[in-house]
Amino acid sequence: ADQELVVDNVRTHAPLINGEQELTIFVDRTGVEIFASQGEVFMPINYNLDQKNRDYSLRVSGGSATLVDGQVHTLKSIW
């Protein structure tokens, strides 16, 4: 497997650690920030998110994965 992250056609190598990948993802109106491989990888993506479409997804290609834990937190606006 390539062990890479791809977001909006931006690619980076994100190696598995002990056969696992842990992702921390922050999404706001101006972009997406992803921390992977136990913090070894940081991937900031500038992205104008559509406020009417708040659907997000994760996809695995070329192999399989199991989601062990997922949490979503909504933060209050600072404005």
Side-chain angles (χ1 to χ4, degrees):
D2 292 335
Q3 296 184 22
E4 68 179 2
L5 292 174
V6 181
V7 178
D8 199 31
N9 294 317
V10 176
R11 297 175 178 273
T12 190
H13 181 67
L16 299 178
I17 308 285
N18 298 321
E20 296 182 351
Q21 182 59 270
E22 180 178 316
L23 301 175
T24 300
I25 304 170
F26 296 98
V27 179
D28 66 19
R29 291 178 291 160
T30 61
V32 177
E33 295 180 345
I34 301 172
F35 295 85
S37 303
Q38 295 184 348
E40 292 182 18
V41 175
F42 173 60
M43 187 176 187
I45 305 293
N46 292 328
Y47 192 82
N48 291 321
L49 300 168
D50 181 358
Q51 292 299 309
K52 295 177 185 175
N53 180 6
R54 294 184 179 205
D55 292 335
Y56 305 104
S57 64
L58 296 173
R59 183 181 69 187
V60 174
S61 62
S64 64
T66 300
L67 180 62
V68 175
D69 183 31
Q71 299 177 14
V72 176
H73 303 277
T74 302
L75 303 177
K76 293 181 180 180
S77 174
I78 63 169
W79 307 108

